Amino acid sequence: MTENDLAFLNDRRSVPSRQLGEPAPDDATLRRLLEAAIRVPDHGKLEPFRIRVLRGEAKLAFGRKLAKLAVEANPDLSESKREKEQRRYEFAPLVLVVSAKIDTDSKVPELEQDLTAGCVAYNILLGAQALGYGAQWLSGWAAYDREVAKLLDMKKSEHIVGFIHIGTAAIDAPERDRPSYDDIVSVWSP
């Protein structure tokens, strides 16, 4: 084993969604990406995740509806924040909405089901990078808003884990400060 064995993970970066443009994965490539991404730990084989694909005019219409909901919820929103909301879905050519679909009757704790859906979202980020695309996982207010969930035809048992924006990076993704190994890793002993 060499340092290069982990280079892919060490090189993982999020590309800001405003820096993502065409092309995005085509339908066949997206299918391969998502088939790989759903290979996650799944206690109870519940498949507690769903993915909605937003492209083209549908993606733009979704963005307009979200901007309208944002302004309705907060009429005092500043002009710059209104513009940010209105333009949020204009950049990346592909947005995947990853959601957790919780089975409340299962013995599998809800947290484990959420983590499974989160693993799908992270696998999408890694897979997009492996295919040469840039991606960013975003959440924000829309991920926790029931009106947005209704807009996406989500049942009460389903909630958004994140919006994965994917496209071709217009810039090299910036590195950011990472946690220190010594600050987060400890060895337990009795």
Side-chain angles (χ1 to χ4, degrees):
M1 184 174 195
T2 68
E3 180 111 3
N4 287 337
D5 293 334
L6 295 176
F8 180 76
L9 290 178
N10 287 327
D11 290 341
R12 198 209 69 77
R13 308 274 190 284
S14 289
V15 178
S17 62
R18 290 178 172 259
Q19 299 298 325
L20 295 170
E22 294 286 356
D26 60 26
D27 289 340
T29 304
L30 179 60
R31 182 181 186 101
R32 286 186 10 249
L33 169 60
L34 297 181
E35 285 177 341
I38 62 176
R39 296 177 59 90
V40 294
D42 181 6
H43 185 186
K45 299 179 188 170
L46 299 176
E47 299 171 3
F49 46 84
R50 295 294 180 269
I51 302 166
R52 289 167 177 81
V53 178
L54 304 175
R55 287 189 194 267
E57 182 51 41
K59 175 185 64 89
L60 296 173
F62 178 76
R64 287 190 296 270
K65 289 178 186 259
L66 257 58
K68 184 177 181 211
L69 286 173
V71 171
E72 287 172 358
N74 187 358
D76 297 328
L77 205 60
S78 72
E79 194 55 43
S80 64
K81 288 187 179 178
R82 282 177 192 243
E83 181 181 351
K84 183 178 181 180
E85 290 296 340
Q86 289 168 348
R87 301 204 61 212
R88 185 180 306 272
Y89 287 84
E90 293 179 4
F91 303 101
L94 172 65
V95 178
L96 302 176
V97 185
V98 179
S99 61
K101 185 175 175 286
I102 304 301
D103 181 346
T104 56
D105 293 330
S106 173
K107 66 179 170 93
V108 177
E110 289 183 26
L111 176 60
E112 288 189 31
Q113 295 179 58
D114 272 326
L115 291 170
T116 294
C119 287
V120 169
Y122 188 61
N123 273 357
I124 291 170
L125 287 180
L126 292 176
Q129 179 177 316
L131 292 169
Y133 296 98
Q136 186 177 33
W137 177 349
L138 297 172
S139 53
W141 69 271
Y144 307 100
D145 189 285
R146 283 314 299 170
E147 290 304 312
V148 174
K150 286 181 194 174
L151 181 64
L152 291 164
D153 296 323
M154 290 185 180
K155 301 198 176 10
K156 233 179 175 173
S157 62
E158 192 176 2
H159 61 270
I160 297 167
V161 171
F163 302 93
I164 311 296
H165 295 243
I166 302 174
T168 298
I171 62 167
D172 287 335
E175 179 57 283
R176 66 172 179 80
D177 289 337
R178 302 292 176 170
S180 163
Y181 175 91
D182 293 327
D183 289 344
I184 60 168
V185 177
S186 62
V187 177
W188 181 86
S189 62

